[in-house]
Amino acid sequence: MGILKKLASQTAIYGLSSIFARFLNYLLVPLLTYSFSAQEYGVVSEFYAYSGFLSVLLLGGFETGYFRFRDKANPRHDTAYSTALWFVLLVNGLFFLGVFFADQTAATALNYASHPEYVLWFGLILALDALAALPFARLRAEERAFRFAFIKLLEIAVTVGLTVFFIVYCPKLYAHNPPPWLVYVYSPHIGLGYVFIANLLASACKALLLLPQLAGLVWGFDHRLFARMWRYSAPMMVIGFAGIINEMLDRALLKYLLPYDYATNMQMLGVYSACYKLSVLMSLFIQAFRYAAEPFFFAYADKNDARDVYAKVLKFFVIFCVAIFLLVTLYLDFFQYFMGAEFRTGLGVVPILLLANLFLGIYVNLSIWYKLTDRTLMGAWVSISGAALTIGLNVWWIPLFGYMGSAWATLACYASMAAVSYLLGRRFYPVAYPLVRILGYILLGIGLSVTQVYLQPYWAWPSWLLASALMGEYLLVVALLEQSPLRRGKR
């Protein structure tokens, strides 16, 4: 269990920083949903949906490619890192030039012709974030989790602080005898645009802190190594792009496929996006786990007990994710107050999206088969198939069921990808996952959630007591079933 404890400790560091950082960021949800209408919030959601697609393209899959080809023996002169860094720098430089000269055209195409600055600001945010991805990857590879966490936390703190400054403090100051300096930093006409400005300034701050990691550019560009990295990374880019389709396409399509007028469609997009944020605890854990697990999977692959360890990792991962699922669904009456009343009509999507993210996390674990066997192209086909399913189901279900159709499409996509990846992994990289117990925990979580819905109308005491009793039942079952394995691990 020692290696699992090391992975858990790394995940905890990434996780605590990510949880705290995302919690600070999550505080923006009530701030924005109480400050802006659902239609206005839909504008922010749409831009962030597009950013997911572009961020994958701007990185080109070279983050994972760097993990695969990095020079472990000579990390202070790692040409895999410098080669990837030069490539990402070139791509993002060209991208921002394109945005700079075509911002009005892009804004008009998105129905924001009066706000081309949104496109320009967001283009710069994307370029800065893509350039920061490889330095962050290097910090992870070097197990410098604390520096990684510090920079991430500072970035979010700056984002939240500036958002509060521009959205709350400055308007109040402007309305009541504004001081002379305010005219230089605030204009009420920008309004919603300050959400993007706060993000841009935070991304710039992050880039400054990562400047020492950019010194790796002096190690040069290796053309032969680049060719190998490109062959490995390009399918990873396809996988990432397909993953973003699965994660964010619904928010891009709702604007066009909902069968209402433009204002209503944007309002429903805002409602769905705000409720999507309630699945943040699950996605937080998955993100933290991915930060720690990806370099761990590669580093541990040559150990004799690697496959046994991978099986245990998935089991405990599912146990924790089901606990998160129950925490949010059982106490949804509390979590709903994190958003304005106008947005709470969409709470029905939350349990579905939590389950979808759980299966996404399972897929992340199962994806080691194509990463460790260099079958990234085959892994890309799995992701492409999932993306095709996402597109088809959204186009079919959104006009019929609204944003509920998007939520069910997301669940169907991730569950099918996990199933296909498991079957392919059995052939190309067999791991004896405890499938019965894993599925048992998932079904137990769903059953307890359904039990709450059934019992709630007949429950005379405070709702949190019923939620706590059901959560306690899950934890008790886990403790009884996992008691023996944990004791053996301690010995």
Side-chain angles (χ1 to χ4, degrees):
M1 295 286 288
I3 191 64
L4 291 181
K5 289 181 179 179
K6 181 179 180 181
L7 175 60
S9 66
Q10 291 287 307
T11 302
I13 296 171
Y14 292 122
L16 288 175
S17 64
S18 296
I19 288 171
F20 184 68
R22 291 287 291 273
F23 176 74
L24 288 176
N25 195 31
Y26 190 58
L27 293 179
L28 295 179
V29 176
L31 172 63
L32 297 180
T33 56
Y34 280 94
S35 300
F36 300 105
S37 68
Q39 182 178 348
E40 290 174 309
Y41 189 74
V43 175
V44 177
S45 302
E46 184 182 9
F47 269 92
Y48 279 95
Y50 293 138
S51 74
F53 296 98
L54 291 170
S55 62
V56 172
L57 296 177
L58 294 175
L59 195 53
F62 270 70
E63 183 181 27
T64 305
Y66 160 67
F67 285 127
R68 176 66 180 83
F69 291 96
R70 72 186 184 95
D71 191 347
K72 300 177 185 177
N74 189 17
R76 296 186 178 278
H77 199 290
D78 190 350
T79 53
Y81 176 71
S82 59
T83 298
L85 202 54
W86 274 111
F87 170 75
V88 173
L89 180 63
L90 175 63
V91 168
N92 283 273
L94 294 175
F95 165 75
F96 182 70
L97 283 177
V99 170
F100 183 81
F101 289 108
D103 58 339
Q104 184 64 65
T105 302
T108 301
L110 294 171
N111 294 321
Y112 303 124
S114 59
H115 293 288
E117 69 276 11
Y118 290 178
V119 175
L120 186 64
W121 293 337
F122 223 82
L124 188 53
I125 290 170
L126 289 171
L128 289 172
D129 287 351
L131 286 174
L134 279 172
F136 272 133
R138 188 178 175 207
L139 290 176
R140 290 161 56 195
E142 295 173 350
E143 297 185 0
R144 298 175 64 185
F146 285 104
R147 177 166 173 78
F148 178 101
F150 169 75
I151 297 175
K152 284 285 186 182
L153 284 171
L154 185 62
E155 178 192 10
I156 299 299
V158 172
T159 301
V160 174
L162 289 177
T163 303
V164 173
F165 176 75
F166 287 125
I167 302 299
V168 178
Y169 179 72
C170 287
K172 290 183 177 180
L173 204 60
Y174 187 86
H176 300 89
N177 192 23
W181 59 264
L182 190 63
V183 68
Y184 298 106
V185 297
Y186 176 75
S187 171
H189 302 294
I190 294 178
L192 189 69
Y194 279 116
V195 177
F196 304 125
I197 291 175
N199 194 338
L200 175 58
L201 293 175
S203 294
C205 179
K206 172 181 64 179
L208 289 174
L209 290 172
L210 289 170
L211 281 177
Q213 277 66 46
L214 295 178
L217 287 167
V218 301
W219 298 334
F221 185 90
D222 188 322
H223 292 82
R224 292 184 178 179
L225 179 58
F226 173 77
R228 294 173 60 203
M229 294 180 73
W230 174 256
R231 285 193 296 269
Y232 182 90
S233 301
M236 296 302 301
M237 178 176 63
V238 175
I239 292 169
F241 193 77
I244 292 297
I245 289 176
N246 299 331
E247 183 179 353
M248 293 186 168
L249 184 68
D250 49 4
R251 276 152 286 176
L253 290 179
L254 284 169
K255 172 182 175 180
Y256 302 101
L257 295 180
L258 285 169
Y260 311 105
D261 59 87
Y262 176 80
T264 304
N265 287 1
M266 291 300 294
Q267 179 187 20
M268 297 187 76
L269 169 60
V271 168
Y272 178 73
S273 299
C275 290
Y276 204 108
K277 293 285 188 179
L278 286 180
S279 63
V280 68
L281 288 179
M282 186 77 77
S283 57
L284 271 177
F285 177 67
I286 294 171
Q287 181 184 14
F289 175 82
R290 181 180 283 173
Y291 284 150
E294 191 167 39
F296 165 78
F297 285 149
F298 282 109
Y300 204 75
D302 57 348
K303 306 294 184 183
N304 293 331
D305 63 340
R307 302 186 193 215
D308 292 336
V309 169
Y310 297 157
K312 292 177 183 176
V313 167
L314 178 57
K315 182 184 69 172
F316 287 108
F317 175 88
V318 170
I319 288 172
F320 201 86
C321 281
V322 173
I324 294 173
F325 167 79
L326 288 172
L327 176 66
V328 178
T329 55
L330 296 179
Y331 296 92
L332 194 56
D333 287 346
F334 166 76
F335 283 102
Q336 67 173 330
Y337 293 106
F338 279 80
M339 63 182 70
E342 182 185 3
F343 298 82
R344 297 171 199 163
T345 55
L347 288 174
V349 304
V350 175
I352 304 169
L353 293 172
L354 284 166
L355 278 177
N357 277 289
L358 188 155
F359 280 104
L360 170 62
I362 292 174
Y363 170 73
V364 169
N365 276 269
L366 296 174
S367 65
I368 59 172
W369 68 267
Y370 68 77
K371 293 179 181 178
L372 297 181
T373 60
D374 290 351
R375 288 183 169 88
T376 53
L377 185 59
M378 190 175 294
W381 282 112
V382 176
S383 294
I384 291 171
S385 299
L389 182 63
T390 295
I391 295 170
L393 291 179
N394 272 284
V395 171
W396 179 16
W397 287 347
I398 287 176
L400 295 176
F401 310 113
Y403 50 64
M404 288 295 293
S406 290
W408 283 110
T410 304
L411 175 57
C413 167
Y414 288 145
S416 64
M417 287 176 61
V420 171
S421 190
Y422 171 75
L423 294 174
L424 290 173
R426 289 184 63 183
R427 177 178 178 183
F428 296 106
Y429 192 84
V431 175
Y433 295 110
L435 191 61
V436 173
R437 184 161 292 191
I438 286 171
L439 292 176
Y441 284 131
I442 295 173
L443 292 175
L444 174 61
I446 295 172
L448 292 172
S449 180
V450 172
T451 299
Q452 184 199 38
V453 174
Y454 177 77
L455 292 179
Q456 193 70 55
Y458 309 101
W459 188 261
W461 294 281
S463 59
W464 63 267
L465 284 175
L466 176 59
S468 299
L470 294 171
M471 175 63 83
E473 183 177 346
Y474 172 74
L475 296 176
L476 178 62
V477 170
V478 170
L480 291 174
L481 291 178
E482 301 302 327
Q483 184 179 25
S484 295
L486 288 174
R487 284 181 175 177
R488 286 197 300 267
K490 288 180 180 179
R491 296 194 192 106

